[in-house]
Amino acid sequence: MMTGFRLNLSPLKEPLGFIKLVEWLTAIFAFGTCAGFSGRNIISLFCGDGRNDTLTANFHYPFRLSLIPLIEGNTSLCNHTVSTTHLMGDASSSVEFFVGVGVVCFLYCMAALLVYLGYMHVYKDSDFGPILDFVITAILVFLWLVCSSAWAKGLQNVKDATNTDGIDATVAICKGGNVTCAVTEFANMRTLNLSVVFGYLNMLVWAGNAWFVYKETRWHSQKFASQSGPGRQQVPAPI
């Protein structure tokens, strides 16, 4: 069996190769829309004496909010001395898991495309290649479901920690008295919302690709042969 590299672009015209190219692109969009995010919320403190103060909440990937200072040192706000205060929450585990799955899929798609375009003759003549491809694809479908759900929950936690209710629970002088705190300018989280959408889209695309990879395995060919076998046995022998 010849195992040398043979460049052949025809697999890109078939579902097996074309979907792998789509997966490569959607993986880039998934982790690219959240990995470099940086946002800022402006919090206005309305003091009871008619004077206003302002706080700035800067947060960024990987969203370790509990390490981000909202108030540094002993700051005077509305005639109150407030000690160092950090934002609440930590979404780093979910977003890093999400980005990690995206990067793994990105690298696997490049490796798979290399095999499809250069070693398809070896891939089709081998039982191990298609089966390994199918098993990895099925695992990645599950990982996309888990990491997208985890990041969707983590993103909601980030939103809750940086909105007005979250700031009220974080800053001591906002919890009572005559000081009212409100987020008056919100960071644009559209790209983060898109990352969740791309996560679930990746799950659907990989699930669809699993069927086309399965068709390349001997499990599918054996099942097809067993279903067509009885039909051939019913053909009467010539007299």
Side-chain angles (χ1 to χ4, degrees):
M1 181 178 61
M2 299 295 293
T3 59
F5 181 84
R6 302 178 188 172
L7 180 60
N8 182 8
L9 300 180
S10 60
L12 292 178
K13 302 176 182 179
E14 302 174 0
L16 185 67
F18 179 75
I19 293 180
K20 193 64 68 181
L21 182 61
V22 173
E23 290 171 343
W24 181 72
L25 292 173
T26 53
I28 295 175
F29 290 135
F31 66 77
T33 48
C34 65
F37 179 84
S38 178
R40 181 184 67 176
N41 281 8
I42 303 297
I43 303 105
S44 296
L45 284 69
F46 303 98
C47 309
D49 57 2
R51 185 168 53 89
N52 298 336
D53 282 329
T54 302
L55 293 174
T56 301
N58 296 299
F59 52 98
H60 51 80
Y61 176 86
F63 306 105
R64 293 187 176 92
L65 302 181
S66 59
L67 301 180
I68 299 176
L70 179 62
I71 303 172
E72 296 189 15
N74 293 322
T75 304
S76 178
L77 297 171
C78 294
N79 295 325
H80 294 79
T81 300
V82 183
S83 60
T84 299
T85 305
H86 294 79
L87 293 173
M88 298 176 61
D90 188 344
S92 60
S93 59
S94 60
V95 71
E96 287 176 343
F97 178 35
F98 181 83
V99 171
V101 171
V103 172
V104 168
C105 290
F106 168 77
L107 297 175
Y108 180 70
C109 285
M110 288 198 300
L113 284 172
L114 176 64
V115 173
Y116 293 168
L117 301 182
Y119 298 93
M120 183 56 80
H121 55 291
V122 179
Y123 180 89
K124 288 185 174 293
D125 291 339
S126 168
D127 288 336
F128 176 75
I131 290 176
L132 178 63
D133 194 10
F134 174 74
V135 170
I136 293 177
T137 300
I139 292 174
L140 291 176
V141 172
F142 174 74
L143 289 179
W144 273 119
L145 172 62
V146 174
C147 75
S148 298
S149 300
W151 170 224
K153 180 63 170 64
L155 176 56
Q156 187 59 51
N157 291 340
V158 171
K159 292 179 179 179
D160 291 341
T162 55
N163 64 14
T164 298
D165 291 338
I167 298 300
D168 283 343
T170 302
V171 181
I173 62 173
C174 298
K175 297 179 181 179
N178 58 352
V179 179
T180 302
C181 303
V183 178
T184 53
E185 183 177 331
F186 289 88
N188 188 347
M189 297 190 183
R190 184 178 304 170
T191 57
L192 298 183
N193 295 330
L194 282 175
S195 69
V196 175
V197 173
F198 277 116
Y200 285 112
L201 178 61
N202 270 283
M203 181 197 70
L204 295 176
V205 174
W206 282 85
N209 186 39
W211 164 247
F212 294 103
V213 177
Y214 172 73
K215 289 176 65 176
E216 300 295 329
T217 66
R218 57 186 171 90
W219 300 329
H220 178 266
S221 59
Q222 288 175 352
K223 180 180 179 181
F224 181 78
S226 63
Q227 290 176 348
S228 59
R232 291 196 303 268
Q233 294 175 0
Q234 294 176 1
V235 177
I239 300 175

